[in-house]
Amino acid sequence: MAMRQFLVRRLLQGILVIWGVVTVLFGLRAVSPGDPATLMLGEGANRELVERVREEEGLNEPIYVQYLDYVGGLLQGDLGYSWQSNRDVTAMVIERIPATIELTIAATIVAIVIAIPLGVVSATRRNEPSDYGATLFSLLGISTPNFWLGLMLILVMSVWFGIPYPTMSTAAVPVGAVRIPYPSHIGYDFYGFPTGRRGVGFPDAMRALVYDQSVSELGAWLRYITLPALTLGTYFTALITRLTRSGMIDELGKPYVTATKAKGLPNPLIRYKHVLRNTMIPIITVLGLQMGTLMGGAVITETVFNWPGLGLRLVDALRIRDWPLMQGIIIFIAFAFIVINIVVDALYTKLNPQVSAE
Amino acid sequence: MISDRMTSNLKQTFKESFLPKIGLVLLLAIILMAIFAPLLATHDPTRTGHYADTGSPYPPMGHSYETQIAQDGDIVDIEVHPTSEHILGTNNVGQDVFSRFVYGARVSLLVALLGTALALVIGVPVGLVAGYYGGRIDDTLMRSADIMLAFPGLVLAMALVGVFGSTPIQVPDPIVMAGFAEGMPESIPIPGSVTVVAGLVIWVWFARVARGEALSLRNQEYVKASKSFGMPNRRILTKHILPNSLTPIIVLATIQVAAVILLEASLAYLGFSGTTLSWGYEIERGQDLLRTRPWISMFPGVGIMLTVIAVNLLGDWFRDALDPNIEGDERGV
Amino acid sequence: MSETILEIDDLSTQFFTSEGKVNAVHGFDLELERGEVFGIVGESGSGKSVTALSLMDLVESPGRITSGSVGYRNPSFAENMRTSYPDAVDGDLVDLRAIPEDARRSLRGTAFSMIFQDPESSFNPSLTVGEQIAEAVEVQQRATAMPRSGRAKTRGPEYSLGSYLMSMALPSKRYVTESSRARAIELLETVGIPDPAQRADEYPHEYSGGMLQRAMIAQALASEPDVLIADEPTTALDVTIQAQILDLLNELQAETGMTILLITHNLGVVARMCDRVGVMYAGEIVERGTLEDVFDDTVHPYTKGLLGSVPDLEGTADRLQAISGNVPSLLDHEMGDRCYFADRCPKAMDTCLEKPRSFDVDADGRHSVTCYLAEENYDPDRALEEGRFASEGAVSDVGGDSQ
């Protein structure tokens, strides 16, 4: 009962926040320099045409009418049309969601799978070499800019170990030759970039595995996703390692741990069922708040690896100031952030009986 | 308040552990490098060349195809491997990677310090007032904080830069102006809008922490007592609440300096910062040449990493010594 | 004399701090008889709690048990240990300090159990009370179901991380079984918790302090222990509830015949509960004997001081006698080789500069005291002058801080 009330309250708050995000974005768009019609049609377009577009798009209306129009459209799931491509923004957002979800989930899995054992080892073997190693790793991890890390991973993999990464040009430039400028990311063909899909998506890979008993698709998917996931996941791995270590050290010093030992409970049970579980409860909340960082990281990582997700589309939209597209993507990201945080809070409430009792 | 106990705790922790020492030495080295950049740089970091039509299919005598002509007519070698002349090589427009590494520290640190200072100036008063008075002011703050938090920091920053534009501010270089270094640029471009945007993106974290502190401090006996004596709220805020909330704010500020360094680098990498004299931009510049000229991207990244490590080590030191009640790593970006 | 169950000899536990070695417990001797309630009483910082933890082998870094033996009398355990560790076994008595750690730890929750001072912080806040008691039941049941083989050393760990991960996927593989849960509810009923089936599913914060202490006693009883160590079991509770908890302990002790080592700073608790008592000071027992011996026939000036500091309801004493000075420094290099109480002792004499041994007061050897006053009478002419130790700078409140 309490849980339902809590969820309803959080949902209402979330709606309020989304409304705030929409309003802030609309305000930014209103104050941003440049005439939308000109942006749509390009510099030097026919003045009559510009005026017609302004009229059609309602840009001559008072600002509050435009705002109400926009919010009204949103309520019907209409995010407007891209100024650049004139495509439906909702469709442009939806087609890029799977790639971003795959990337962020893979990064989160990488982070959790590496970080929690590392943090536990670090906390339970304090001041031993493994602890120093984990501490050093986590210091480096939270201090490394992830776009640079991505490039260095590509460098190490493709150049030093000779495993070419799809986004990199493998055509060697002979020293001394005139360098012919080539596009910064060669790999469009691998991704089928114009349609906004990866060459191999996870659902495709699983389908191939189940129906054709073919692992090659899954292998290709893994090959595409490993470096981006590592790049995006490193900061989180480092962060969770740090939080787990310090939280677990705090937790191990609590009297109930001594009491649990006195009961004669086996060590793994003390360590995982009691201590680690209690350590994770506050960490979950921190991670919920850090989801913004994860999504910001996804934007950068997608740019580095030319990963056809929302982040890459957002950067493109921002570069050309395609406001409807950019608004649509940011609203979706904010929405995802809020949903994740509601889930996290619900989980926190479930795990922490002291809160749920209130 | 920074009491004697805190100072002695800081000293104690510093003495006992090894990492704060590394952090302090590293940070001092980077700060000195930034201040004395014109003296340390071996070349003008902004001097570039362009492909010249010499009318000959061959490069000038003694040079390869990888040469360009600088504005002053001199020949600039592009993409030179590290040599004694260019200890870290040159980039794709013939700029000395080492000199740009040295100058990059200036931009990075200035943006980080000014951006964090701006966030402090906005966030702390707002948070303290909200926490101290509570009620509707507090509700409004917390709701707007929620809205701010729903934007990923980097995304919000990119959108704001889009609005403000990204004109760099040319700041005259006192060392060059005073004539201590010759052949160095007389002013360096600071990405002003990035600085402001960084402040606008992270202030909400300061507001949250300051609010929490004010909220707990306003129920302390001495605050209640001051109130009953008729001390005006404003005085209570500056005399009691602010000094006693400083510890977590200092620790948070350290964390946020690191975050802003990374934010600036990310924006520059994505081409949103408006200046090209930046570690982040340099990484982007070398990206296409990674396979054959890895040094162009590699060294600026090392610069960012070392600076952030130094700041983080300092932050850990403050956190361990001052033991503020900050949950987790509240990095806003 | 009835049969002893624990024979502790020369037990020392030291803490290795940045200021130096701290002798929290040193040269601790104690013989516990089966079925008795033995009280250890002393000021805070006298090493009582560390003694309890040392007996449970729960001393944490930077502390370590540095010497001594803990003999535990149990014929079947001795039989199990005899083949593998013949040196550690003497008749029915096994020296727990001479067997490996995991063999020693297998006694926790089966032969020894412990009640802690603060019930609220001694339960895991995020698991139900019933679950936590059921865990203790499970430890005991698994130990009974699978008696220790002689080859204790070669046996793998019973419960690994793998088993835990498995149990998360398969509820049937959970550590705590339904029968343990049922037993936990029975135990809650035994300790007088009303509506136990329902309360078992509640979390610690939903219990009152007294209820939670009852639950902790239930948890300790789950082990069916030979020896129950109760470390300040009533200190955190209201006075009225203290009495209920002590009565409960008394009842349960009479029922099960377990031995209780009761650690407290409260002489009232000792008087109410104990058969014998040991007075602890600076990490060692300075006076021990039956309740009557120690309370009525007091020899050690420290014991006298403690008894004098209890408010007397009949008002025979004009005012409360506090013991002047602080608990001495327990830093190894500051302790020296003298009577540690001498600097606070109103009857300190020149002989006290040399450490006294344990003297028997009575012929039957049941009342012993670590003080020269057991042998000779106080002679004011040989008194140590005031401030004899303060001038050395050795007596500081460091001892209190280091705890």
Side-chain angles (χ1 to χ4, degrees):
Chain A
M1 206 56 215
M3 189 70 168
R4 184 180 294 170
Q5 271 175 7
F6 165 82
L7 280 179
V8 167
R9 210 180 68 221
R10 283 305 315 258
L11 280 174
L12 287 176
Q13 273 176 8
I15 291 169
L16 204 68
V17 170
I18 288 284
W19 172 72
V21 167
V22 168
T23 309
V24 167
L25 282 172
F26 189 86
L28 286 178
R29 171 174 159 185
V31 300
S32 77
D35 173 40
T38 318
L39 281 170
M40 265 181 259
L41 297 165
E43 294 288 337
N46 185 322
R47 191 176 288 176
E48 240 168 72
L49 195 61
V50 169
E51 197 44 48
R52 220 176 70 207
V53 169
R54 287 189 66 87
E55 197 58 48
E56 273 174 17
E57 294 287 313
L59 292 168
N60 290 334
E61 303 280 344
I63 189 81
Y64 67 90
V65 176
Q66 292 184 36
Y67 175 69
L68 290 178
D69 271 356
Y70 186 71
V71 175
L74 268 185
L75 289 176
Q76 295 161 27
D78 174 17
L79 291 166
Y81 287 85
S82 158
W83 286 353
Q84 204 218 4
S85 65
N86 207 27
R87 289 182 59 211
D88 181 14
V89 168
T90 317
M92 290 180 84
V93 170
I94 289 173
E95 71 191 12
R96 289 297 184 93
I97 291 174
T100 298
I101 289 186
E102 276 177 25
L103 177 60
T104 44
I105 290 183
T108 313
I109 291 174
V110 165
I112 290 174
V113 165
I114 300 176
I116 292 179
L118 208 57
V120 171
V121 166
S122 198
T124 49
R125 301 194 187 153
R126 271 183 93 178
N127 301 327
E128 287 179 31
S130 45
D131 180 25
Y132 293 134
T135 308
L136 183 69
F137 163 78
S138 53
L139 179 66
L140 288 176
I142 61 162
S143 306
T144 309
N146 61 355
F147 53 93
W148 183 72
L149 176 71
L151 291 178
M152 291 302 115
L153 285 176
I154 292 173
L155 179 68
V156 169
M157 294 306 283
S158 72
V159 180
W160 294 348
F161 291 110
I163 306 164
Y165 188 76
T167 55
M168 285 299 295
S169 161
T170 47
V173 182
V175 178
V178 177
R179 196 169 72 89
I180 303 148
Y182 46 81
S184 66
H185 302 291
I186 298 178
Y188 293 10
D189 46 347
F190 283 91
Y191 290 125
F193 188 62
T195 59
R197 286 181 60 84
R198 279 108 39 255
V200 190
F202 186 67
D204 297 334
M206 290 318 283
R207 206 170 295 133
L209 187 68
V210 173
Y211 292 111
D212 309 336
Q213 278 79 45
S214 147
V215 288
S216 64
E217 304 272 295
L218 192 63
W221 179 80
L222 275 174
R223 207 177 111 172
Y224 281 118
I225 207 163
T226 305
L227 289 193
L230 280 178
T231 302
L232 181 56
T234 298
Y235 169 72
F236 275 82
T237 313
L239 180 70
I240 301 174
T241 308
R242 273 167 78 102
L243 293 176
T244 310
R245 177 180 186 271
S246 62
M248 195 143 171
I249 287 171
D250 277 0
E251 204 66 28
L252 281 169
K254 290 193 175 165
Y256 80 82
V257 179
T258 313
T260 314
K261 284 183 189 163
K263 287 202 293 206
L265 215 56
N267 254 328
L269 267 186
I270 300 177
R271 198 174 283 176
Y272 299 101
K273 181 178 172 185
H274 287 264
V275 178
L276 183 60
R277 196 185 130 109
N278 286 356
T279 306
M280 294 320 289
I281 293 171
I283 292 182
I284 286 172
T285 332
V286 178
L287 290 185
L289 278 176
Q290 289 284 331
M291 277 297 135
T293 319
L294 181 69
M295 289 173 187
V299 170
I300 285 262
T301 309
E302 288 178 6
T303 312
V304 174
F305 289 93
N306 208 29
W307 187 261
L310 276 175
L312 189 58
R313 182 150 276 176
L314 177 65
V315 173
D316 290 342
L318 281 161
R319 284 207 172 115
I320 55 169
R321 299 205 182 164
D322 187 343
W323 274 95
L325 180 55
M326 166 179 148
Q327 276 172 303
I329 297 173
I330 297 180
I331 290 170
F332 175 78
I333 292 178
F335 176 75
F337 176 84
I338 288 162
V339 170
I340 291 171
N341 271 286
I342 291 177
V343 172
V344 162
D345 283 354
L347 201 64
Y348 178 79
T349 315
K350 201 170 149 41
L351 285 175
N352 190 347
Q354 272 156 310
V355 176
S356 56
E358 277 165 18
Chain B
M1 209 171 306
I2 306 302
S3 62
D4 292 346
R5 189 178 59 82
M6 286 176 182
T7 342
S8 74
N9 273 354
L10 277 173
K11 280 185 191 151
Q12 178 84 5
T13 319
F14 189 77
K15 237 184 275 169
E16 277 171 8
S17 78
F18 176 59
L19 290 174
K21 293 187 188 104
I22 299 182
L24 200 65
V25 168
L26 201 56
L27 193 64
L28 282 177
I30 294 166
I31 290 173
L32 289 175
M33 181 171 92
I35 294 174
F36 298 108
L39 304 176
L40 290 169
T42 51
H43 296 77
D44 181 344
T46 57
R47 197 171 85 142
T48 59
H50 55 91
Y51 289 108
D53 185 6
T54 55
S56 154
Y58 302 107
M61 194 63 89
H63 292 275
S64 70
Y65 280 103
E66 304 199 337
T67 54
Q68 295 183 343
I69 310 297
Q71 287 93 327
D72 51 18
D74 275 358
I75 288 165
V76 172
D77 293 305
I78 66 162
E79 296 171 18
V80 176
H81 286 259
T83 59
S84 56
E85 163 95 31
H86 297 284
I87 54 173
L88 299 181
T90 63
N91 66 14
N92 62 340
V93 290
Q95 296 164 331
D96 181 55
V97 172
F98 173 72
S99 301
R100 290 183 74 79
F101 175 84
V102 170
Y103 267 86
R106 282 190 160 188
V107 175
S108 196
L109 288 178
L110 266 178
V111 171
L113 294 178
L114 294 177
T116 310
L118 179 67
L120 273 169
V121 168
I122 306 172
V124 172
V126 171
L128 289 182
V129 166
Y132 180 71
Y133 290 101
R136 191 168 287 172
I137 305 177
D138 189 29
D139 282 348
T140 315
L141 170 87
M142 287 322 283
R143 289 293 86 77
S144 39
D146 283 349
I147 293 170
M148 298 289 286
L149 290 175
F151 290 99
L154 178 66
V155 171
L156 182 62
M158 288 194 295
L160 288 174
V161 170
V163 173
F164 288 121
S166 52
T167 336
I169 302 165
Q170 294 293 331
V171 181
D173 185 335
I175 294 181
V176 178
M177 300 298 264
F180 289 116
E182 267 179 41
M184 291 296 150
E186 292 191 346
S187 62
I188 60 156
I190 295 299
S193 50
V194 171
T195 313
V196 174
V197 161
L200 293 181
V201 169
I202 60 172
W203 72 270
V204 60
W205 296 83
F206 287 100
R208 279 164 54 99
V209 168
R211 171 189 176 265
E213 287 296 306
L215 207 60
S216 66
L217 285 170
R218 76 167 179 196
N219 292 325
Q220 297 280 322
E221 291 306 319
Y222 60 89
V223 174
K224 284 183 181 162
S226 306
K227 237 178 186 170
S228 70
F229 297 151
M231 195 190 258
N233 283 330
R234 218 175 155 169
R235 267 225 52 229
I236 296 178
L237 270 172
T238 51
K239 211 171 145 57
H240 290 312
I241 310 274
L242 176 67
N244 286 303
S245 339
L246 277 182
T247 314
I249 291 173
I250 289 171
V251 175
L252 183 68
T254 331
I255 296 169
Q256 296 300 355
V257 165
V260 176
I261 293 173
L262 290 174
L263 176 69
E264 187 272 332
S266 303
L267 286 173
Y269 170 79
L270 294 172
F272 279 83
S273 96
T275 174
T276 56
L277 188 58
S278 159
W279 284 335
Y281 188 84
E282 228 36 30
I283 292 173
E284 203 279 333
R285 205 199 281 274
Q287 181 165 329
D288 299 336
L289 298 165
L290 201 56
R291 199 180 153 76
T292 49
R293 313 279 188 270
W295 61 86
I296 301 175
S297 285
M298 200 188 286
F299 293 112
V302 172
I304 300 170
M305 197 171 76
L306 287 180
T307 315
V308 178
I309 286 177
V311 175
N312 277 331
L313 286 175
L314 239 52
D316 289 350
W317 169 35
F318 290 163
R319 183 199 303 248
D320 291 347
L322 305 178
D323 192 27
N325 198 15
I326 287 194
E327 50 174 53
D329 276 28
E330 301 215 348
R331 185 196 277 188
V333 181
Chain C
M1 195 191 275
S2 68
E3 185 194 37
T4 59
I5 185 155
L6 267 190
E7 293 183 10
I8 305 157
D9 185 39
D10 194 33
L11 185 73
S12 292
T13 301
Q14 294 179 315
F15 285 77
F16 298 84
T17 68
S18 55
E19 284 168 53
K21 262 194 290 189
V22 178
N23 296 321
V25 176
H26 60 117
F28 184 92
D29 296 300
L30 181 66
E31 288 185 4
L32 272 188
E33 286 160 22
R34 194 181 291 280
E36 75 170 337
V37 179
F38 190 96
I40 292 183
V41 66
E43 291 170 287
S44 50
S46 59
K48 305 177 305 252
S49 289
V50 178
T51 307
L53 293 174
S54 303
L55 293 180
M56 295 296 285
D57 197 19
L58 285 172
V59 180
E60 301 259 335
S61 173
R64 194 150 48 81
I65 298 172
T66 47
S67 70
S69 63
V70 178
Y72 168 54
R73 190 178 304 282
N74 180 324
S76 65
F77 186 65
E79 205 47 54
N80 281 334
M81 291 292 120
R82 199 183 307 279
T83 44
S84 312
Y85 314 103
D87 294 347
V89 183
D90 174 20
D92 287 346
L93 201 67
V94 183
D95 179 7
L96 301 182
R97 303 300 320 164
I99 60 174
E101 197 173 314
D102 63 327
R104 185 163 64 230
R105 292 195 171 176
S106 71
L107 292 173
R108 290 208 297 241
T110 53
F112 299 89
S113 58
M114 186 161 171
I115 301 172
F116 292 87
Q117 177 170 348
D118 181 6
E120 262 141 60
S121 62
S122 300
F123 274 102
N124 183 343
S126 53
L127 293 177
T128 61
V129 172
E131 169 84 11
Q132 298 187 55
I133 297 173
E135 283 179 347
V137 174
E138 195 65 41
V139 169
Q140 204 274 339
Q141 288 189 347
R142 286 183 186 224
T144 340
M146 193 169 43
R148 301 193 60 82
S149 70
R151 299 174 297 126
K153 234 197 307 198
T154 55
R155 240 177 16 151
E158 304 153 15
Y159 197 91
S160 63
L161 172 58
S163 354
Y164 179 62
L165 291 177
M166 190 90 106
S167 73
M168 299 226 288
L170 302 170
S172 61
K173 296 272 181 193
R174 292 225 174 107
Y175 184 73
V176 174
T177 56
E178 274 313 309
S179 68
S180 308
R181 265 176 233 281
R183 172 82 182 123
I185 293 170
E186 270 176 46
L187 284 163
L188 281 174
E189 193 164 16
T190 315
V191 296
I193 290 194
D195 212 356
Q198 194 200 325
R199 303 230 59 176
D201 289 335
E202 290 180 6
Y203 289 93
H205 69 271
E206 294 168 85
Y207 277 61
S208 68
M211 281 294 161
L212 211 52
Q213 193 60 291
R214 283 174 189 268
M216 176 124 69
I217 292 171
Q219 180 174 279
L221 285 180
S223 321
E224 297 169 17
D226 283 348
V227 180
L228 173 69
I229 299 173
D231 183 8
E232 306 265 13
T234 56
T235 309
L237 306 175
D238 289 345
V239 181
T240 47
I241 298 178
Q242 285 188 8
Q244 294 172 14
I245 294 289
L246 293 177
D247 289 345
L248 174 68
L249 274 177
N250 256 337
E251 258 169 54
L252 293 169
Q253 196 269 335
E255 244 168 67
T256 61
M258 63 186 168
T259 312
I260 297 182
L261 183 65
L262 181 75
I263 289 168
T264 180
H265 66 276
N266 187 332
L267 289 164
V269 172
V270 172
R272 190 180 185 118
M273 295 285 295
C274 299
D275 306 315
R276 289 197 302 146
V277 58
V279 178
M280 204 160 171
Y281 186 77
E284 58 183 9
I285 289 189
V286 292
E287 181 160 12
R288 84 188 72 201
T290 61
L291 204 56
E292 295 75 31
D293 286 340
V294 174
F295 275 44
D296 302 336
D297 195 11
T298 317
V299 175
H300 201 289
Y302 176 68
T303 317
K304 281 188 178 143
L306 271 187
L307 289 168
S309 64
V310 177
D312 192 337
L313 289 179
E314 285 143 34
T316 45
D318 290 339
R319 51 188 293 247
L320 210 59
Q321 298 282 311
I323 306 172
S324 63
N326 286 316
V327 179
S329 163
L330 296 175
L331 279 171
D332 191 52
H333 61 271
E334 287 179 1
M335 284 183 82
D337 204 21
R338 56 181 169 83
C339 172
Y340 306 130
F341 188 61
D343 51 310
R344 293 168 78 184
C345 183
K347 292 181 179 175
M349 295 184 290
D350 48 8
T351 43
C352 301
L353 292 176
E354 208 170 295
K355 193 160 174 14
R357 63 177 177 86
S358 182
F359 300 99
D360 286 340
V361 179
D362 304 334
D364 65 359
R366 299 214 50 163
H367 184 194
S368 65
V369 64
T370 313
C371 181
Y372 292 109
L373 292 177
E375 297 270 283
E376 46 193 315
N377 284 326
Y378 178 60
D379 177 358
D381 296 339
R382 289 162 55 204
L384 285 170
E385 71 270 30
E386 199 78 13
R388 164 70 180 76
F389 295 98
S391 59
E392 288 175 11
V395 185
S396 61
D397 51 7
V398 174
D401 284 348
S402 64
Q403 285 297 299

